[in-house]
Amino acid sequence: MQENRRSRTTTQGVQRSPNRAMLRAVGFTDRDFDKPIVGVANAYSTITPCNLSLNDLAKRAEAALKGAGAMPQVFGTITVSDGIAMGTEGMKYSLVSREVIADSIETACGAQAMDGVVAIGGCDKNMPGAMIAIARMNIPAIFVYGGTIKPGNYNGRDLTIVSAFEAVGEFSAHKIGEQELLEIERRACPGAGSCGGMYTANTMSSAIEAMGMSLPYSSTMAAVDKEKSDSAARSGEVLVEAIRRDLLPRRIMTRNAFENAIAVVMAVGGSTNAVLHLLAIAHAAQVPLTIDDFETIRQRVPVLCDLKPSGRYVTTELHRAGGIPQVMKMLLTHGLLHGGEITITGKTVADNLSEVPDAPRKDQDVIRQWESPVYRQGHLAIMKGNLAAEGAVAKITGIQSHQVTGPARVFECEEDCLAAILAGKIKAGDVIVIRYEGPKGGPGMREMLSPTSALIGAGLGGSVGLITDGRFSGGTYGLVVGHVAPEAQVGGTIALVYENDSITIDADKRMLTLNVDNTEIARRRSAWKPPAPRYTRGVLAKYAAQVSSSSVGAVTD
């Protein structure tokens, strides 16, 4: 092993110092001071089912690290539950938690001069938060995903957390009764694991696997299955070997690796949040990546997987059909993946996929055959226009109409919009505008799952457009456009929209247009003044003061 790692210098250079006394108190013996010190960043909590089983994975990883000749040091990091916070003021802390997680892992590993880190996370922001820290520190690292939840079931149909949100809209539209609403709520989340469709958590776990920073097949395993625990143990062993080889994250997280991750996100029909998070991780890794790169890759990569929210299947079914390696092998076979990139296993992408069939099994249709994809091009489109000069992100698949021009229905926050939908005040052909929900304006860029699910439940998902400088949950679908930048708080054109202005959303042309004369827009801009910050102290105020535009990942450094 190379002796230039910081902790090796530290522990071996203070053979008689008090530092060693402190380490003895936590279990080090004389023989342990020559071993690599490896952090186990454990995001376990009972706050959310996504993280409920992480402590068991941390214990397996810890034991495997010891068995492989390392000295693990376990420390905690935070999580918040997007699903529980959704639609409330608490959701403003969700994206902020990504930065807190990244900062906490960097702080612990940096302060203790660790040789490597196993980062274990389950909920949406755990993964990009851990990856941002890993990219910043550039010490040997591996990510362990907590695993997906198994689906609930009611009346013969699989349920996910989004089923509960959509049921609220159906109930408000008098399509289902109170008893059915209650039964769906009771059954939607049957146990531990992250939300079960190709929502943000499963999207990001898939992207990290595609990038080479987690083990093959690990991103789609169910949280409660034994193979997930076994994978955590194997991850510890693989990391010790990476430390011995001095295999650093930035050697793995190359520009080509990010392109692989984006290609897989497109192929599985992943969350719009992947754009935001991959831009932020690339920024931390000092890899040149722009929002326009997603559009370039989208145009050449088909959607191969028929997964919720807009499709039929959940992530456990994708796993049984061959998981992310099967998707990657199809992309590799057809020249849409960089096979020569090194991965945390020490092997290249192509080597890891060498025994995976070129085509998926024909006895399933979760992963489509290459000649009959769900869609010929990717689903995450980068939209621009006078409403989004820096760009916006939309899912343009799984929608009935690709173009809408209608009167703007303007709301200054999510809550007011949801109340209008539930009260039946939104009509077919309307274009909803939810603003001052961006990174600075919210602050925290809340996800608009409650309004979009209410639209779906009310039967308006295909006839009403929605734009926002906030985000969408991975569970969102419909003619909706998020991440509008510049955001309202900094004077983006979205701040200048008046009630009943004409707005066009054109998914085919990838245009987002306020149909108002440029002279009038300029007049409105000259009269506009930024509203006072919603928070003046605490973490949300600090975040709002530091955060960048969503078009570059909403980063804070």
Side-chain angles (χ1 to χ4, degrees):
M1 183 190 308
Q2 296 185 22
E3 296 299 332
N4 63 349
R5 304 253 40 94
R6 292 172 295 162
S7 65
R8 307 285 4 104
T9 301
T10 302
T11 55
Q12 293 181 359
V14 288
Q15 298 274 330
R16 301 289 184 267
S17 78
N19 304 66
R20 288 175 53 130
M22 296 289 287
L23 290 170
R24 289 183 190 279
V26 297
F28 278 64
T29 66
D30 289 343
R31 294 178 298 173
D32 295 328
F33 291 105
D34 291 328
K35 298 175 182 178
I37 298 174
V38 178
V40 179
N42 181 7
Y44 162 75
S45 78
T46 60
I47 289 174
T48 171
C50 315
N51 293 48
L52 190 61
S53 59
L54 299 193
N55 212 39
D56 294 334
L57 303 186
K59 289 177 180 178
R60 285 294 307 274
E62 181 184 21
L65 287 165
K66 286 182 178 179
M71 278 304 290
Q73 291 189 300
V74 182
F75 62 91
T77 186
I78 65 144
T79 197
V80 300
S81 172
D82 291 2
I84 296 171
M86 198 74 69
T88 74
E89 195 77 357
M91 189 63 196
K92 294 181 177 180
Y93 290 88
S94 171
L95 189 58
V96 176
S97 77
R98 184 188 77 179
E99 309 307 302
V100 177
I101 292 164
D103 292 350
S104 66
I105 294 174
E106 179 190 354
T107 299
C109 291
Q112 304 307 124
M114 293 176 183
D115 289 294
V117 62
V118 176
I120 305 175
C123 203
D124 294 6
K125 307 311 173 295
N126 297 173
M127 283 155 282
M131 293 301 294
I132 288 168
I134 287 167
R136 284 181 194 162
M137 297 184 299
N138 201 33
I139 60 174
I142 192 168
F143 184 79
V144 175
Y145 178 44
T148 186
I149 197 171
K150 291 188 173 180
N153 191 274
Y154 179 66
N155 278 349
R157 66 184 179 106
D158 284 342
L159 301 177
T160 69
I161 183 60
V162 175
S163 307
F165 280 90
E166 291 179 358
V168 172
E170 291 174 322
F171 175 74
S172 298
H174 307 293
K175 294 184 175 183
I176 62 172
E178 186 173 358
Q179 186 60 37
E180 184 170 355
L181 173 64
L182 181 60
E183 294 301 328
I184 291 172
E185 176 210 303
R186 284 171 171 165
R187 292 166 169 78
C189 298
S194 298
C195 299
M198 191 47 68
Y199 310 145
T200 301
N202 286 323
T203 298
M204 292 310 300
S205 68
S206 299
I208 293 167
E209 180 179 328
M211 196 181 297
M213 288 299 297
S214 63
L215 295 186
Y217 296 100
S218 65
S219 66
T220 53
M221 294 174 177
V224 297
D225 286 352
K226 183 178 180 295
E227 65 175 346
K228 171 48 66 179
S229 180
D230 291 343
S231 178
R234 178 61 185 151
S235 295
E237 296 167 352
V238 167
L239 178 62
V240 173
E241 184 57 32
I243 293 171
R244 293 190 174 113
R245 295 182 181 185
D246 204 29
L247 178 54
L248 304 182
R250 291 193 193 176
R251 185 180 165 201
I252 298 169
M253 297 164 66
T254 63
R255 165 70 190 214
N256 283 348
F258 277 96
E259 291 188 1
N260 286 348
I262 295 169
V264 166
V265 168
M266 296 296 176
V268 299
S271 166
T272 54
N273 283 312
V275 178
L276 192 76
H277 296 324
L278 288 172
L279 286 170
I281 297 166
H283 172 80
Q286 298 182 336
V287 170
L289 190 72
T290 72
I291 194 170
D292 294 323
D293 291 321
F294 288 82
E295 179 61 28
T296 299
I297 295 172
R298 181 195 74 80
Q299 293 183 22
R300 62 178 185 248
V301 176
V303 178
L304 296 171
C305 300
D306 188 9
L307 297 168
K308 291 179 181 292
S310 59
R312 293 180 293 166
Y313 297 107
V314 295
T315 305
T316 50
E317 292 169 300
L318 170 61
H319 187 65
R320 288 193 292 271
I324 296 304
Q326 181 63 78
V327 176
M328 291 178 70
K329 185 59 176 286
M330 295 170 72
L331 295 174
L332 180 66
T333 299
H334 293 274
L336 295 174
L337 211 66
H338 302 287
E341 298 305 294
I342 196 72
T343 71
I344 191 61
T345 65
K347 299 178 180 179
T348 66
V349 168
D351 287 339
N352 284 341
L353 300 174
S354 62
E355 297 186 9
V356 178
D358 289 345
R361 300 192 325 267
K362 294 190 175 180
D363 63 349
Q364 58 78 45
D365 60 355
V366 183
I367 307 173
R368 295 284 189 87
Q369 300 299 315
W370 185 263
E371 58 274 12
S372 56
V374 181
Y375 301 101
R376 295 288 174 186
Q377 291 183 319
H379 63 303
L380 298 183
I382 305 306
M383 304 187 76
K384 293 192 174 181
N386 66 356
L387 268 171
E390 294 178 9
V393 184
K395 281 185 180 178
I396 62 170
T397 52
I399 56 177
Q400 299 170 25
S401 173
H402 281 229
Q403 195 266 359
V404 62
T405 295
R409 303 298 310 280
V410 181
F411 301 93
E412 310 300 310
C413 66
E414 175 188 4
E415 289 86 350
D416 291 350
C417 175
L418 179 61
I421 296 169
L422 295 180
K425 296 179 179 179
I426 301 299
K427 307 300 181 185
D430 286 346
V431 178
I432 294 170
V433 177
I434 307 176
R435 62 191 180 191
Y436 295 103
E437 290 284 7
K440 287 183 177 293
M445 209 178 175
R446 285 193 289 183
E447 294 180 346
M448 304 292 138
L449 180 60
S450 295
T452 57
S453 295
L455 287 172
I456 297 293
L460 295 170
S463 59
V464 169
L466 188 154
I467 70 170
T468 180
D469 51 9
R471 296 181 295 131
F472 295 118
S473 162
T476 294
Y477 62 103
L479 194 59
V480 296
V481 185
H483 307 201
V484 171
E487 63 172 291
Q489 187 70 25
V490 300
T493 306
I494 190 173
L496 311 179
V497 179
Y498 287 3
E499 184 79 3
N500 291 318
D501 277 350
S502 174
I503 290 177
T504 297
I505 303 172
D506 192 324
D508 294 327
K509 294 181 179 178
R510 298 174 298 285
M511 292 294 297
L512 188 61
T513 307
L514 174 63
N515 300 311
V516 171
D517 183 81
N518 288 338
T519 303
E520 171 62 13
I521 292 175
R523 185 196 67 78
R524 294 180 187 182
R525 191 179 304 282
S526 65
W528 177 85
K529 293 181 180 180
R534 286 171 167 161
Y535 294 84
T536 57
R537 300 185 66 186
V539 66
L540 292 180
K542 289 191 287 185
Y543 181 85
Q546 293 177 311
V547 70
S548 72
S549 170
S550 60
S551 64
V552 292
V555 297
T556 56
D557 65 342

